[in-house]
Amino acid sequence: MKCEQIAEIIRKKESSIEVIPVAHALCDACVQHGRCRADWLSGVVGRKKNFEIPLDAPISAEVGDRVTLVTDSTGILWASVGVYGFPLAGLLLGVGLGTRWDLSDLWSLILASIGTGVGWVGSRLFKQAISVRVKQ
């Protein structure tokens, strides 16, 4: 499944463009909800964030033009697993070890904290590239 986002180019460089999201075109999965599920945070915060998109080849679009950014939902899924999965796995592993070794609640909490910290470091080292295609 593909997710599409309409964005405006605010800065153009030789090897990248900087864009700000303008509107979402709803994919088949999001139409049933009436909103894009990938855009839930910007609705809460109320402001859009600028993104820098690397380019493989030059594009003819200029600053102020609107382009469509297309991402594969599988890449977004694996990036989410990397960001959230490692700390959660570390937390559960720490609690599991504390329980397995029959440690006190305090030591289980300490192991869970250490496991979460190690998982967080692992999530920072996990590099899942999300490919973004620019349609003009």
Side-chain angles (χ1 to χ4, degrees):
M1 184 179 318
K2 304 276 186 222
C3 295
E4 294 186 357
Q5 165 108 29
I6 299 171
E8 183 177 330
I9 299 174
I10 57 174
R11 190 171 298 126
K12 184 177 177 183
K13 301 176 188 174
E14 258 185 60
S15 61
S16 67
I17 57 173
E18 190 172 336
V19 298
I20 188 166
V22 176
H24 271 290
L26 298 180
C27 65
D28 295 337
C30 295
V31 166
Q32 2 176 345
H33 299 291
R35 64 177 178 81
C36 182
R37 295 174 295 164
D39 196 30
W40 66 272
L41 186 58
S42 66
V44 173
V45 176
R47 62 187 273 265
K48 300 284 184 176
K49 182 179 177 185
N50 299 355
F51 294 96
E52 187 167 348
I53 312 284
L55 297 174
D56 294 338
I59 61 170
S60 60
E62 295 297 327
V63 173
D65 290 349
R66 289 188 176 188
V67 293
T68 303
L69 306 175
V70 182
T71 57
D72 185 19
S73 60
T74 306
I76 295 172
L77 173 68
W78 283 111
S80 299
V81 167
V83 169
Y84 297 110
F86 286 120
L88 180 60
L91 171 76
L92 295 176
L93 182 64
V95 169
L97 288 175
T99 303
R100 174 81 172 143
W101 293 336
D102 201 25
L103 299 175
S104 69
D105 289 345
L106 177 62
W107 281 107
S108 291
L109 178 63
I110 291 170
L111 284 176
S113 299
I114 291 170
T116 304
V118 169
W120 180 81
V121 170
S123 73
R124 298 292 150 222
L125 298 175
F126 180 74
K127 301 290 183 194
Q128 174 63 39
I130 299 173
S131 82
V132 177
R133 194 170 49 100
V134 179
K135 288 191 326 187
Q136 299 180 22

